[in-house]
């Protein structure tokens, strides 16, 4: 089944709040080999003006995944997981994510293009704090292999 072009422009529901935990930030930092002490040590983060440990920039994917799960749950989307690979990822931050943040996210499908029998779906996820202030926009491009690929 081809990727459903009617997804373009679709805005998904906001996710339930995600509370950023200190240990989750530390675990993620270790997993991606982050070396900034502010991602592991509260005192180092406070010396840099933050209330708690600071998540590495790619941590936003944890919150974005909640929105991508919504996208993959659409029955007629044409997104068979066995045919999907992650093509690219970008983050545009207003401010860093810090342990203690309560974040919600909302995804919009911005484009679907066909290239060489494959589809390239781009989705932007806006991530907001408890006050409704923008924290980061995470943009993913997913490559969906065509049946002949």
């Amino acid at each position: 089944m081809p990727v459903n072009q009617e997804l373009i422009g679709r805005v998904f529901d906001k996710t339930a709040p995600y509370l950023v935990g200190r240990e989750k930030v530390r675990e993620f930092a270790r997993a991606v080999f982050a070396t900034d002490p502010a991602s592991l040590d509260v005192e180092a983060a406070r010396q840099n003006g933050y209330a708690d440990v600071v998540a590495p920039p790619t941590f936003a994917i944890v919150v974005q995944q909640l929105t991508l799960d919504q996208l993959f749950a659409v029955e007629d989307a044409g997104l068979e997981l066995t045919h999907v690979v992650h093509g690219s990822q970008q983050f545009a931050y207003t401010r860093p994510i810090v342990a203690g943040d309560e974040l919600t996210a909302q995804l919009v499908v911005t484009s679907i293009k066909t290239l060489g029998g494959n589809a390239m779906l781009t989705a932007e996820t806006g991530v907001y704090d408890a006050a409704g202030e923008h924290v980061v926009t995470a943009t993913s491009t997913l490559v969906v292999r065509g049946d002949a690929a």
Side-chain angles (χ1 to χ4, degrees):
M1 168 191 316
V3 176
N4 185 345
Q5 294 289 319
E6 292 180 10
L7 288 171
I8 299 171
R10 180 166 175 184
V11 178
F12 287 77
D13 292 337
K14 283 188 177 178
T15 62
Y18 176 89
L19 180 60
V20 179
R22 182 183 291 164
E23 289 309 312
K24 289 293 183 186
V25 170
R26 287 175 172 156
E27 289 169 0
F28 191 91
R30 286 190 292 271
V32 299
F33 302 102
T35 58
D36 185 349
S39 293
L40 301 168
D41 180 63
V42 176
E43 287 309 312
R46 288 184 178 148
Q47 287 173 2
N48 287 301
Y50 298 103
D52 212 314
V53 292
V54 180
T58 54
F59 185 88
I61 195 69
V62 172
V63 182
Q64 185 187 30
Q65 186 59 48
L66 301 172
T67 66
L68 292 172
D69 290 345
Q70 293 174 321
L71 174 63
F72 286 118
V74 175
E75 288 187 28
D76 67 345
L79 299 173
E80 173 59 46
L81 279 177
T82 59
H83 291 210
V84 176
V85 295
H86 199 217
S88 71
Q89 184 70 48
Q90 297 175 325
F91 301 100
Y93 274 88
T94 300
R95 69 162 178 85
I97 295 172
V98 177
D101 280 339
E102 191 170 290
L103 305 173
T104 57
Q106 189 167 34
L107 180 136
V108 61
V109 176
T110 57
S111 73
I112 301 172
K113 298 176 183 170
T114 302
L115 182 64
N118 299 315
M120 298 181 69
L121 181 147
T122 301
E124 291 183 0
T125 299
V127 179
Y128 305 88
D129 64 19
E133 298 293 323
H134 179 266
V135 176
V136 60
T137 297
T139 303
S140 289
T141 299
L142 306 175
V143 179
V144 185
R145 275 193 343 232
D147 290 336

